[in-house]
Amino acid sequence: MSEAHAASESAFATAQSQLRSVAGMLGLDAGLTEVLAHPKRELTVNFPVRMDNGATRVFTGYRVQHNEARGPVKGGIRYSPMVSLDEVRALAMWMTWKCAVVNLPYGGAKGGVIVDTKALSESELERMTRRYAAEISIVIGPNRDIPAPDLGTDGRIMAWIMDTYSMQQGHSEPGVVTGKPIEIGGSNGRVEATGRGALFITQEACRARGMALEGASVAVQGFGNVGGVASRLLKQAGAKVVAVSDSIGGVYSEQGLDVEALYAHRQAGGILNQHPLKHSDITNAELLELPVDILIPAAIEGQITEQNAPKIRAGMIIEAANGPTTSGGDKILAERDIYVVPDILANAGGVVVSYFEWVQDLQSYFWEEAEVNQRMQKIMTRAFAEVSSMAQERKLRLREAAYIVALQRVVQAIKLRGIYP
Ligand code: NAD
């Protein structure tokens, strides 16, 4: 957003200040702004879990529902020692904007448990997940709040949540969570959805800039679910992927990498820069500053900062990760006129296909992967066009334009519904 935030500012304070800045641009009523500045509902649960050694341990978890004016709320569950109520509040608000910018009939939510999953056995993780699911079952449900995976959680954990909720209801409720294994109501194409959505957005961004994706040089930070899929699909689309990295470091080749070989090497448990191919090593810091046409941060938050933003040489940045650019870094990118597609638009492919999963579960009728991908492309392309035309109309960057599109939709829903009673 336009104003810089102190490094120490909390995530929720940042989210609130982003909201207030866009509300100011729209001349939004002060009361409505306050409604949106606070989550509608926050649940904190402290719950006991029997550990393998017979001891009882108390865990703390959260589920925050930001706004449900546009429909049931949706958002992931994060397992990490760093989870805090403040962070979950911010993530819930960002989910409201992400769902609205791609025009899904959802509001935003987020959940989390303060836990280091690496310190738990499989059975402890299952008992903890099931007890957390039971504790939050008073606020979740297929028509109310539909969780999904996030950092530290996966399809297996979604299966346990779905089963726990279903046992309480007395019948199967696959629509209570998304990101489930396909065998129990997951969607074809969900695993690849965020990376594929990032490809569709990159194609649209290239079209908007009058630039060919074919032959364009691309650097991708992060080679996990999002970055790995995005790199492979970009290469298949004719781009020259010159660098990829993971948390340890990356690899670079000016002629373009053999992405498939690297992906297979990584899937087999290999380390990127210990590959048998003749690519040169590169650090994450160097990758971000490469002279490429397109830079795709797809790893973690806070990678483009006030320190490295002046040195970034990419002409276009597609934010596949959540929050990869700090406010200070973004201000510099804006001054340097670097074209940035913001995270709430660039990585929304995941939530779009989660929505498809939920629709398929409610109808008990499942689609082929080609249909999932085609429908997702339609939604992502339309959202990009709407955000681009808002940017042109108001002479704004895509980040502010995306927030305006999202905020206008949420505000419209609140106005139509009115304030109860
Ligand atoms: P992942 O765990 O599968 O992969 C993360 C990748 O980032 C790994 O390659 C890891 O080695 C790398 N990484 C971790 N720390 C790093 C560091 N300090 N420097 C460089 N690389 C580092 O996670 P993912 O699902 O691919 O998510 C990546 C980003 O995309 C996150 O910001 C996530 O919130 C966001 N996102 C994911 C989805 C989804 O559907 N998976 C949806 C929307 C947004």
Side-chain angles (χ1 to χ4, degrees):
M1 308 310 298
S2 54
E3 66 217 79
H5 299 286
S8 60
E9 186 173 88
S10 80
F12 187 52
T14 302
Q16 284 184 316
S17 115
Q18 291 170 340
L19 163 68
R20 293 206 165 98
S21 132
V22 177
M25 286 181 204
L26 286 176
L28 195 65
D29 170 81
L32 262 184
T33 308
E34 280 316 294
V35 170
L36 290 167
H38 298 93
K40 174 195 166 82
R41 188 178 282 134
E42 302 180 345
L43 177 65
T44 299
V45 290
N46 299 298
F47 56 94
V49 176
R50 181 91 58 215
M51 306 307 278
D52 290 345
N53 65 4
T56 300
R57 198 174 136 193
V58 174
F59 289 85
T60 299
Y62 308 101
R63 186 70 187 169
V64 173
Q65 301 174 342
H66 173 253
N67 183 279
E68 58 181 14
R70 289 171 48 82
V73 289
K74 183 107 193 69
I77 289 173
R78 186 169 275 202
Y79 283 178
S80 151
M82 307 306 290
V83 163
S84 67
L85 182 55
D86 180 275
E87 179 192 60
V88 176
R89 282 175 174 149
L91 291 164
M93 188 191 288
W94 287 324
M95 279 307 296
T96 299
W97 313 139
K98 191 181 292 187
C99 292
V101 82
V102 284
N103 213 358
L104 302 182
Y106 285 143
K110 205 80 182 188
V113 178
I114 305 172
V115 58
D116 177 4
T117 51
K118 287 196 239 44
L120 299 188
S121 69
E122 173 93 356
S123 57
E124 287 169 342
L125 183 65
E126 178 173 351
R127 286 196 295 279
M128 193 212 71
T129 297
R130 287 185 179 278
R131 181 62 189 248
Y132 169 67
E135 295 287 343
I136 65 166
S137 67
I138 55 172
V139 296
I140 65 172
N143 297 315
R144 309 178 65 182
D145 178 347
I146 306 109
D150 192 67
L151 289 181
T153 57
D154 55 18
R156 176 186 50 148
I157 286 170
M158 294 307 113
W160 291 331
I161 297 177
M162 182 276 236
D163 186 69
T164 303
Y165 185 83
S166 297
M167 288 303 105
Q168 290 187 329
Q169 300 298 308
H171 57 267
S172 284
E173 281 281 17
V176 67
V177 288
T178 59
K180 297 179 296 297
I182 295 206
E183 296 81 352
I184 55 168
S187 177
N188 284 311
R190 173 62 187 90
V191 173
E192 301 81 12
T194 307
R196 190 178 296 280
L199 166 75
F200 293 149
I201 288 293
T202 309
Q203 288 171 325
E204 293 309 308
C206 286
R207 215 162 279 146
R209 304 293 280 175
M211 166 184 150
L213 178 58
E214 207 165 341
S217 56
V218 185
V220 183
Q221 186 199 31
F223 204 56
N225 177 272
V226 178
V229 171
S231 306
R232 293 169 72 203
L233 295 178
L234 282 158
K235 172 100 193 242
Q236 285 165 21
K240 189 169 67 162
V241 179
V242 297
V244 297
S245 68
D246 61 20
S247 56
I248 302 168
V251 287
Y252 172 72
S253 164
E254 202 182 338
Q255 285 70 46
L257 300 168
D258 185 342
V259 179
E260 287 299 331
L262 289 168
Y263 192 76
H265 170 73
R266 196 77 182 86
Q267 291 299 99
I271 293 170
L272 265 186
N273 51 19
Q274 283 176 9
H275 54 82
L277 299 164
K278 305 238 174 317
H279 298 319
S280 41
D281 292 351
I282 189 169
T283 65
N284 269 292
E286 288 164 346
L287 180 145
L288 295 171
E289 296 168 18
L290 283 173
V292 286
D293 297 312
I294 305 168
L295 172 64
I296 306 193
I300 52 166
E301 64 283 350
Q303 294 301 292
I304 300 173
T305 63
E306 269 164 289
Q307 279 69 47
N308 63 4
K311 295 184 250 165
I312 284 187
R313 288 182 282 172
M316 177 188 289
I317 299 176
I318 308 288
E319 291 186 339
N322 277 317
T325 310
T326 65
S327 304
D330 197 40
K331 202 171 165 206
I332 296 168
L333 298 180
E335 282 160 12
R336 296 187 55 215
D337 209 17
I338 293 175
Y339 187 82
V340 181
V341 183
D343 50 4
I344 60 167
L345 175 59
N347 69 32
V351 74
V352 169
V353 177
S354 268
Y355 163 61
F356 293 162
E357 179 176 332
W358 177 76
V359 168
Q360 292 171 80
D361 288 337
L362 295 185
Q363 299 178 344
S364 293
Y365 180 75
F366 292 86
W367 314 343
E368 303 281 333
E369 183 174 346
E371 186 173 359
V372 170
N373 294 343
Q374 208 174 30
R375 286 178 187 253
M376 194 244 285
Q377 182 167 21
K378 203 168 159 192
I379 290 184
M380 299 299 283
T381 306
R382 186 188 61 201
F384 184 88
E386 286 166 348
V387 170
S388 288
S389 64
M390 175 63 74
Q392 276 162 12
E393 200 181 296
R394 290 188 175 245
K395 306 214 178 331
L396 293 171
R397 298 167 72 224
L398 294 182
R399 194 183 307 279
E400 285 78 15
Y403 269 81
I404 288 185
V405 168
L407 193 57
Q408 279 182 334
R409 288 189 176 140
V410 177
V411 167
Q412 179 71 356
I414 295 174
K415 285 186 175 162
L416 286 167
R417 290 179 61 159
I419 305 278
Y420 175 86

